Amino acid sequence: MSKIISMHYEQGVLKLIDQRKLPGEFVYFECRTYREVEFAIKDMVVRGAPAIGATAAYGAILAARQFMQECAGDRKSFLRKMEKALDFLNCSRPTAVNLMWAVKKMKDCLAENRDASDDTLMAAVEQLAHDIFNEDRDLCISMGKHGNTLVPEGAVILTHCNTGALAAAGPGTALAVIREAHNTGKKIQVYADETRPRMQGGRLTAWELMQEGIPSKLIVDSTAATLIRDGKIDLILVGADRIASNGDAANKIGTFMLSVLAKTYNVPFYVVAPVTTIDFEMEKGDEIEIEERDASEITHINGIQTAPEGMEVYNPAFDVTPQENITAIVTDRGIIFPPFNEGIAQLKESVQ
Amino acid sequence: MSKIISMHYEQGVLKLIDQRKLPGEFVYFECRTYREVEFAIKDMVVRGAPAIGATAAYGAILAARQFMQECAGDRKSFLRKMEKALDFLNCSRPTAVNLMWAVKKMKDCLAENRDASDDTLMAAVEQLAHDIFNEDRDLCISMGKHGNTLVPEGAVILTHCNTGALAAAGPGTALAVIREAHNTGKKIQVYADETRPRMQGGRLTAWELMQEGIPSKLIVDSTAATLIRDGKIDLILVGADRIASNGDAANKIGTFMLSVLAKTYNVPFYVVAPVTTIDFEMEKGDEIEIEERDASEITHINGIQTAPEGMEVYNPAFDVTPQENITAIVTDRGIIFPPFNEGIAQLKESVQ
């Protein structure tokens, strides 16, 4: 398990580790309204597909508390406002499917309890948020265990972006596997891509790895290519923000590049994500909407100019790795091997 | 031609555009001693293989002026001190062959003039430095013209690091080709990799492209992969710091990654470098010494922490692209196509 807990909700206050400030400062960002939650997701106070889902669920509690008071017994008005607030939260980031999944669960919960008393409805919303958080924690632990069966003794592992406790409710996705391998004494070593432009690898993954005492080195993203070619990497573990039903996986920009190198030089490339990340309705990865983020993420770092004023920028936050570049997908329900469309279809039946 | 001139020598002062400060500030760094020149190369006030060669040559003038005075007619002592100073300059960066080439030329010049008068010897050293600078300028222009024959009308070009006027005495290497294509009205567009860790693409190439009014966009290095796959790049132009006699080419970290993508998706991948960059004595690229630079280049940006204190780092400044990933090598003497070992052997004969 991880000592790091990315969020904590109590009595109308959602505390989030402010991931924009790490590793320089460890501070909490406090949300008292769902609009503050929306801001926290948009501005990446919190990020990582599973963490975003749980954060939005807690955001729903804050919205419900506010509208209960504002609507004073007018249930119709309350539900209308909740619908709108949930749609707001839903739009805070476009790529992660967990966000849509959590918002949908919350909408279903409101529909089920539409005629219940205020207290019952409020309790149901709170319970659901906690359930989403707790479920994600358990999924992380389960992914860690399944994924660890793929990690050889003494393996050198390459990872990208942050897929750890900061990105989830539990120990993470890809980083949960790394934690489990370390905790079961496999004497692993990790190379962490710094992950431009937001530096989640340098700022967050490096921080988590140091907290856990896992031997590791930080590299710029493009250094991975030489390490892979030179046989210095035994396996690659990455997360995912959305997986189509054929196995195509959207993840942080740079993941696709690694997958091409892995395929060229025969290094196993594993995607680690909970079943909630699979979009069963989506046939292929090219349908996934890719968020484009602000130019300033590339032209400035902490306010310091790293490109000339007025330079045009192309800044997609994610890319899509085609299923043929993926060796296996590690989920909380076990490992899916190719052909992924078959494995995912079976999974779809079992979860529905 | 380029309006930007990276260096200017006059009367015992070498002025270098301080490339560490761009694009925020345009200031000159003044060197009055060869030790200041050595610092300027080490700390990357000036960088780019051809520019480093010319800078070291001017550094030799500063050393000669100093030792002429200190040794007051004792030629033996003067030559001993010069030998040592040139060895110092030679060691300021390990990968660029142009530096060794310029230093060797300077040593030959001193040997030839060992018995000449002070004035004659000083004039010979000054003349050689200017010759190296002027020759590099002419080589750049020539590479631009040869390379432009490979650029289709309306091409979208991807480039990496800075290979422009800031990296050379003339308009650059790969960027000289881009300049020539633009100046001959080909309506090209450029994607520039920001090039971590030192951001030469974001800070320097973007600045040069804007100065020239060439339509261009800045990307993080790993975004190149998706652009290449999606057919959005017509050709890739990069520079080189050293080319072995089989065609293997050392260049800025990240170049090899691009070459694998280019090969996988059939995009022409051209290396642009003067003949002086070819190390005819070296058989293959795996013999090239790769400089490892300080961890702080990755853990800090302009003094701001982007990774936790104490995190280990692996920071090679260059990588080697194998000859089989290179479509052609553009030199000042023309374009070499595979098999490179044959083309380079022919070139060796013609220059010796």
Side-chain angles (χ1 to χ4, degrees):
Chain A
M1 273 297 295
S2 157
K3 291 160 281 186
I4 303 156
I5 311 287
S6 57
M7 67 190 75
H8 179 75
Y9 174 80
E10 211 178 321
Q11 304 275 19
V13 183
L14 176 63
K15 283 187 176 183
L16 301 164
I17 294 179
D18 192 339
Q19 302 189 30
R20 301 168 307 177
K21 305 270 172 81
L22 284 172
E25 275 181 87
F26 184 96
V27 290
Y28 286 96
F29 181 90
E30 296 192 354
C31 305
R32 288 181 168 75
T33 67
Y34 78 92
R35 295 305 294 258
E36 286 170 346
V37 172
E38 187 211 358
F39 171 83
I41 296 174
K42 266 198 172 140
D43 209 49
M44 297 175 66
V45 172
V46 62
R47 23 66 50 206
I52 290 172
T55 302
Y58 284 122
I61 303 182
L62 300 182
R65 287 170 70 103
Q66 179 185 336
F67 298 139
M68 280 277 173
Q69 214 159 21
E70 282 180 24
C71 302
D74 179 351
R75 179 57 56 89
K76 223 169 147 181
S77 161
F78 169 85
L79 289 171
R80 211 167 43 233
K81 279 174 187 258
M82 279 304 289
E83 178 83 13
K84 224 172 142 183
L86 286 169
D87 287 341
F88 253 113
L89 288 168
N90 206 22
C91 296
S92 51
R93 302 254 341 244
T95 305
V97 77
N98 314 58
L99 174 62
M100 288 104 217
W101 174 86
V103 165
K104 189 181 174 303
K105 278 213 147 186
M106 204 45 92
K107 284 190 176 179
D108 291 348
C109 170
L110 290 171
E112 274 163 35
N113 292 279
R114 58 177 302 125
D115 300 319
S117 71
D118 279 8
D119 284 354
T120 305
L121 191 148
M122 202 60 224
V125 166
E126 291 199 0
Q127 190 56 50
L128 176 58
H130 288 304
D131 285 351
I132 287 174
F133 179 89
N134 290 334
E135 186 189 336
D136 181 55
R137 187 196 52 210
D138 296 344
L139 299 183
C140 291
I141 295 167
S142 181
M143 279 182 275
K145 294 210 160 101
H146 287 301
N148 191 24
T149 63
L150 299 167
V151 180
E153 193 76 33
V156 180
I157 301 170
L158 175 69
T159 190
H160 191 68
C161 198
N162 175 265
T163 58
L166 291 166
T173 58
L175 209 48
V177 178
I178 289 171
R179 283 194 159 92
E180 185 69 12
H182 175 71
N183 292 339
T184 52
K186 283 190 176 167
K187 299 196 187 308
I188 56 163
Q189 290 176 63
V190 175
Y191 280 99
D193 281 352
E194 65 169 6
T195 318
R196 281 287 289 157
R198 298 282 297 214
M199 304 281 196
Q200 292 93 336
R203 295 189 301 106
L204 310 178
T205 301
W207 184 76
E208 289 199 39
L209 289 166
M210 286 190 77
Q211 297 267 325
E212 302 280 349
I214 300 173
S216 45
K217 282 186 183 171
L218 183 64
I219 55 173
V220 300
D221 303 323
S222 66
T223 295
T226 304
L227 291 173
I228 292 170
R229 176 188 63 188
D230 293 347
K232 296 201 174 135
I233 304 295
D234 296 310
L235 68 155
I236 299 170
L237 290 169
V238 298
D241 290 73
R242 193 184 292 217
I243 299 173
S245 55
N246 73 337
D248 291 350
N251 191 44
K252 180 58 50 201
I253 189 79
T255 307
F256 165 62
M257 180 259 280
L258 291 180
S259 80
V260 174
L261 268 302
K263 190 166 186 166
T264 305
Y265 294 101
N266 291 311
V267 174
F269 184 90
Y270 301 120
V271 172
V272 187
V275 171
T276 48
T277 304
I278 301 173
D279 189 341
F280 292 111
E281 306 311 314
M282 186 172 274
E283 204 187 322
K284 288 193 298 183
D286 53 13
E287 298 168 46
I288 299 173
E289 183 187 348
I290 299 296
E291 176 182 11
E292 273 191 50
R293 293 187 61 86
D294 199 74
S296 64
E297 289 189 350
I298 299 184
T299 58
H300 290 74
I301 293 181
N302 288 34
I304 289 171
Q305 204 180 332
T306 54
E309 212 61 63
M311 181 69 190
E312 270 196 68
V313 160
Y314 173 56
N315 184 21
F318 303 93
D319 56 27
V320 176
T321 296
Q323 54 84 21
E324 65 266 25
N325 288 6
I326 300 170
T327 311
I329 300 172
V330 177
T331 77
D332 46 290
R333 303 241 183 165
I335 302 170
I336 312 174
F337 291 96
F340 293 119
N341 54 354
E342 289 178 18
I344 289 174
Q346 278 167 23
L347 199 61
K348 184 180 176 182
E349 275 173 38
S350 78
V351 294
Q352 278 172 345
Chain B
M1 274 298 295
S2 157
K3 291 159 279 184
I4 304 157
I5 312 286
S6 56
M7 69 192 72
H8 180 75
Y9 174 80
E10 211 178 320
Q11 304 274 18
V13 183
L14 176 63
K15 284 187 176 182
L16 301 164
I17 295 179
D18 192 339
Q19 303 190 28
R20 300 167 308 176
K21 304 269 172 81
L22 284 172
E25 275 181 89
F26 183 96
V27 290
Y28 286 97
F29 181 91
E30 297 191 356
C31 305
R32 288 182 168 76
T33 67
Y34 79 93
R35 295 306 294 257
E36 285 170 348
V37 172
E38 186 211 359
F39 172 83
I41 296 174
K42 264 198 174 141
D43 208 49
M44 296 173 69
V45 171
V46 61
R47 22 65 51 205
I52 290 172
T55 303
Y58 284 122
I61 303 181
L62 300 182
R65 287 171 71 101
Q66 180 184 334
F67 299 139
M68 279 276 173
Q69 215 159 22
E70 283 180 22
C71 302
D74 178 351
R75 180 57 56 86
K76 224 170 146 183
S77 161
F78 169 84
L79 289 171
R80 213 167 40 233
K81 280 175 187 255
M82 279 304 289
E83 178 83 14
K84 226 171 139 183
L86 287 169
D87 288 341
F88 253 114
L89 288 167
N90 206 23
C91 295
S92 52
R93 301 255 340 244
T95 305
V97 77
N98 315 57
L99 174 61
M100 288 106 218
W101 174 86
V103 166
K104 189 181 172 303
K105 278 212 147 189
M106 204 46 91
K107 285 189 176 180
D108 291 348
C109 171
L110 290 172
E112 276 164 33
N113 293 279
R114 58 177 302 127
D115 300 319
S117 71
D118 280 8
D119 283 355
T120 306
L121 191 149
M122 202 60 225
V125 166
E126 290 199 0
Q127 190 56 51
L128 176 57
H130 288 304
D131 286 350
I132 287 174
F133 180 89
N134 290 334
E135 187 190 334
D136 181 55
R137 188 197 51 211
D138 296 343
L139 299 183
C140 290
I141 294 167
S142 181
M143 279 182 276
K145 294 210 159 101
H146 287 300
N148 191 24
T149 63
L150 299 167
V151 180
E153 194 77 32
V156 181
I157 300 170
L158 175 69
T159 189
H160 190 68
C161 198
N162 175 265
T163 58
L166 291 167
T173 58
L175 209 49
V177 177
I178 289 171
R179 282 192 159 93
E180 185 69 13
H182 175 71
N183 292 339
T184 53
K186 283 190 175 166
K187 298 197 188 307
I188 55 162
Q189 290 175 62
V190 175
Y191 280 100
D193 282 351
E194 64 169 7
T195 318
R196 281 287 287 159
R198 297 282 298 215
M199 303 281 196
Q200 292 94 334
R203 295 188 302 106
L204 310 178
T205 301
W207 183 76
E208 288 200 40
L209 289 166
M210 285 189 78
Q211 297 266 325
E212 302 279 349
I214 301 172
S216 45
K217 283 186 183 173
L218 183 64
I219 56 173
V220 300
D221 304 324
S222 66
T223 295
T226 304
L227 291 172
I228 292 170
R229 176 187 63 189
D230 294 348
K232 296 199 174 138
I233 304 294
D234 297 310
L235 68 154
I236 299 170
L237 291 169
V238 299
D241 290 74
R242 192 185 294 218
I243 299 173
S245 56
N246 72 338
D248 292 348
N251 191 45
K252 181 58 49 202
I253 189 79
T255 306
F256 166 62
M257 180 259 281
L258 292 179
S259 80
V260 174
L261 269 302
K263 191 168 185 166
T264 304
Y265 295 101
N266 291 311
V267 174
F269 183 90
Y270 301 120
V271 172
V272 187
V275 171
T276 48
T277 304
I278 301 173
D279 188 341
F280 293 111
E281 307 311 315
M282 186 173 273
E283 204 188 323
K284 288 193 298 184
D286 53 14
E287 298 168 46
I288 299 173
E289 183 187 347
I290 299 296
E291 176 182 11
E292 273 191 49
R293 292 187 62 86
D294 199 74
S296 64
E297 289 190 350
I298 300 184
T299 58
H300 290 75
I301 294 180
N302 287 34
I304 289 170
Q305 203 179 334
T306 53
E309 212 62 62
M311 181 68 188
E312 271 196 68
V313 159
Y314 173 56
N315 184 22
F318 303 94
D319 55 28
V320 176
T321 296
Q323 53 84 19
E324 65 265 25
N325 287 7
I326 299 170
T327 311
I329 300 172
V330 177
T331 78
D332 46 289
R333 302 241 183 164
I335 303 170
I336 312 173
F337 291 96
F340 293 119
N341 53 353
E342 289 178 17
I344 290 173
Q346 277 167 22
L347 199 60
K348 185 180 176 182
E349 275 173 39
S350 78
V351 295
Q352 279 173 344

